[in-house]
Amino acid sequence: MFVPGENDVINSDESYRPGESQTDRVNGEYHYKNGYTQKIYSDAHYVREEDNTVPPRYYTPPEKSPREPREPKAPRKSPGKAGSFARTLCLCLVCALLGGLGGGAYVSSRLTERVDALQQSMSELKEQSLEVESAALASATGAGDAAIMTPASIYDRACRQVVGITAEVNYTNFFGISSSSAVTGTGFVVSENGYILTNYHVIEYAYTAGKAPTVVLHDGTHYTASVVGVEEGNDIAVLKIDAANLSPAKLGDSDGLTVGDTIYAVGNPLGDLEFSMSTGHISALDRVIKTEESSESINMFQIDAAVNSGNSGGPVYNDRGEVIGVVTAKYSDTGVEGIGFAIPINDASSIAQDLITKGYVTGRAYMGVKLDERYNAMYSQYYGMPLGAYVYSVEAGSSADEAGLRAGDIIIRLGDVDVSCYDDLHNAVKGFSAGDTTDVVIYRAGEELSISITFDELTPDSTYDSPVRVLPAG
């Protein structure tokens, strides 16, 4: 049996009724109160009239004492001639004063109009001066007609440019049963006739399986896309949909980025939060990042805007609504927030242009060697050879073959870059273009040799310049 405590309040007119919820509703919410319903008032000083046991007190104004009658005034005397003259003189003085005041008010009004006109002219001149200064500043900084936009305006523009990308993936699970799932990502329109830029890893599974990805616009329209070209090493892909009069993104200049610049990322995080915008700043420039999906290290800039799965391939906008990067990766360790990475748009657009016009990235340097990536410090110490990139084989007729490289050579320097492994050499080659000439320092038969090499161009048919996992001979 419930025994109320001294702090429990029970209304005599309301008690608990079996079968009813043991709650009472207060300000739109129900609250439990010891099994009994209780009225709780929002004003702590309010008491219901039926609960009030103190008789009310009423205010009664004090009585006023009666006023004593006033004595009658003495009758006025009729003015004489002197009084009449004085009244006339006073009347003249009053008229003169009123006339002076009227004239002064007129003059003051005219003066105020002149002052207002002068102030307006000064304000117009100041505005014209500010416009001239703004135009000069825009010309000096190269901003041109690009003005700072509000976040809402940038989002409105992004909704006409950003697309969702879905690619179906088939796989066999642990029990040997075939199944499929959808990989979702983001992209953005780069031409009115339907070219779309995204990350390669967004469409990788569909591309390798020969399946066409699906592109979804902001209005819900679905398109089956074709893959125009891919650049796996730089994680860039270009798609094409059969559409016209699209709204292409305006590309900015990523070479002019500075740490602290405001940025906006728009994409489809987690695959089902379509067209989400996050904001932040550029945290760092020139980060060399190697992702799980990419076999090569990629130069990116770091951002602190929220980046999640599904954001890949989406645009990074500056505060003028220009795309300055492609969201590509995030630091995925537990407890780490606000570390995302984007490919600079100058790099991405150059690759995309080559993919559209040539089908591959032109001008890239190519040596023509296969390297054993398992050659490391342990093998170096065991065989008594220096660290470097171990040459497993050389392609006949390649630039490496013409330079005199042989299987078993260890490349320890390329140009001005010291080489201690396959990744070092691969990144060093990326610093050159087709047709460039540089020196290669190699270790062969116990001595160092320096030879000259002129790079070929890397094409889709090139089969070398990739690692193999075999043990070195010896």
Side-chain angles (χ1 to χ4, degrees):
M1 180 177 178
F2 171 75
V3 179
E6 60 179 5
N7 295 324
D8 295 319
V9 180
I10 302 178
N11 290 342
S12 59
D13 57 341
E14 295 182 17
S15 61
Y16 169 66
R17 299 178 179 87
E20 293 184 350
S21 174
Q22 298 183 23
T23 61
D24 63 321
R25 192 170 179 83
V26 181
N27 294 330
E29 297 182 357
Y30 285 99
H31 298 269
Y32 284 96
K33 189 64 180 180
N34 300 328
Y36 291 82
T37 57
Q38 175 192 10
K39 296 285 185 173
I40 303 175
Y41 303 103
S42 59
D43 186 345
H45 301 288
Y46 175 73
V47 181
R48 294 188 306 175
E49 183 177 356
E50 57 268 29
D51 295 338
N52 190 9
T53 58
V54 179
R57 294 181 297 176
Y58 300 97
Y59 171 75
T60 304
E63 296 184 0
K64 295 183 180 181
S65 58
R67 297 193 316 184
E68 297 181 357
R70 301 174 63 182
E71 296 182 359
K73 295 182 179 180
R76 284 181 160 182
K77 294 183 179 181
S78 177
K81 291 183 179 181
S84 178
F85 174 76
R87 283 190 300 173
T88 303
L89 181 59
C90 289
L91 182 59
C92 291
L93 291 174
V94 170
C95 291
L97 180 60
L98 292 176
L101 291 175
Y106 175 76
V107 172
S108 176
S109 175
R110 295 290 296 173
L111 183 60
T112 301
E113 293 177 358
R114 295 286 299 274
V115 171
D116 290 342
L118 182 60
Q119 289 179 345
Q120 183 177 358
S121 299
M122 293 177 63
S123 178
E124 293 176 353
L125 289 174
K126 185 176 181 180
E127 291 177 359
Q128 293 175 2
S129 177
L130 289 175
E131 291 176 358
V132 171
E133 291 178 0
S134 299
L137 179 61
S139 177
T141 58
D145 56 355
I148 303 299
M149 299 176 62
T150 64
S153 299
I154 293 175
Y155 180 74
D156 181 66
R157 172 179 290 186
C159 287
R160 300 191 299 270
Q161 300 170 351
V162 178
V163 300
I165 299 176
T166 302
E168 185 178 0
V169 178
N170 296 323
Y171 62 94
T172 302
N173 62 20
F174 177 78
F175 300 100
I177 301 175
S178 297
S179 183
S180 64
S181 63
V183 175
T184 57
T186 309
F188 57 97
V189 179
V190 293
S191 71
E192 293 183 355
N193 59 342
Y195 283 103
I196 294 168
L197 181 61
T198 186
N199 283 138
Y200 169 69
H201 74 260
V202 171
I203 54 97
E204 177 182 3
Y205 294 107
Y207 176 71
T208 55
K211 294 189 175 183
T214 300
V215 170
V216 185
L217 303 186
H218 184 260
D219 60 4
T221 307
H222 287 64
Y223 293 91
T224 299
S226 59
V227 179
V228 175
V230 300
E231 170 53 31
E232 180 180 358
N234 289 291
D235 204 3
I236 294 293
V238 177
L239 309 180
K240 179 69 168 64
I241 60 175
D242 187 12
N245 299 321
L246 298 179
S247 178
K250 183 177 180 181
L251 306 185
D253 182 9
S254 56
D255 289 341
L257 300 180
T258 58
V259 174
D261 287 349
T262 301
I263 55 94
Y264 304 90
V266 181
N268 306 303
L270 308 182
D272 55 2
L273 300 176
E274 297 89 351
F275 298 94
S276 295
M277 183 171 78
S278 57
T279 183
H281 302 84
I282 295 178
S283 304
L285 301 173
D286 299 324
R287 298 293 200 198
V288 180
I289 304 299
K290 187 173 182 179
T291 66
E292 295 177 354
E293 294 83 6
S294 175
S295 60
E296 302 180 13
S297 299
I298 306 173
N299 178 66
M300 305 189 200
F301 63 89
Q302 181 182 332
I303 60 177
D304 62 2
V307 173
N308 293 285
S309 175
N311 276 115
S312 292
V316 178
Y317 291 91
N318 61 16
D319 55 8
R320 295 187 294 275
E322 301 167 335
V323 176
I324 55 171
V326 181
V327 176
T328 301
K330 66 169 292 186
Y331 195 83
S332 57
D333 196 4
T334 303
V336 177
E337 298 293 340
I339 301 181
F341 302 95
I343 299 173
I345 195 60
N346 288 7
D347 298 342
S349 61
S350 176
I351 294 171
Q353 186 66 27
D354 279 345
L355 293 177
I356 293 172
T357 58
K358 303 290 186 179
Y360 68 98
V361 180
T362 61
R364 299 181 64 185
Y366 176 68
M367 291 185 67
V369 294
K370 278 191 179 295
L371 305 171
D372 182 8
E373 67 173 357
R374 296 181 62 181
Y375 182 79
N376 54 25
M378 181 182 68
Y379 290 110
S380 170
Q381 184 177 6
Y382 180 81
Y383 291 108
M385 297 185 296
L387 283 173
Y390 186 92
V391 178
Y392 175 73
S393 63
V394 178
E395 181 181 9
S398 67
S399 58
D401 186 27
E402 294 180 357
L405 282 169
R406 304 174 187 173
D409 288 345
I410 300 175
I411 300 174
I412 59 177
R413 189 175 185 83
L414 181 67
D416 296 330
V417 179
D418 291 329
V419 175
S420 60
C421 61
Y422 160 76
D423 284 336
D424 288 346
L425 179 63
H426 191 75
N427 291 329
V429 172
K430 290 174 64 176
F432 295 92
S433 299
D436 290 347
T437 300
T438 190
D439 293 328
V440 183
V441 179
I442 62 174
Y443 176 85
R444 178 189 296 171
E447 61 178 349
E448 293 185 5
L449 301 175
S450 179
I451 60 178
S452 179
I453 185 171
T454 300
F455 295 105
D456 294 330
E457 183 180 52
L458 179 66
T459 67
D461 298 330
S462 303
T463 57
Y464 280 66
D465 279 16
S466 58
V468 293
R469 298 186 63 81
V470 295
L471 292 176

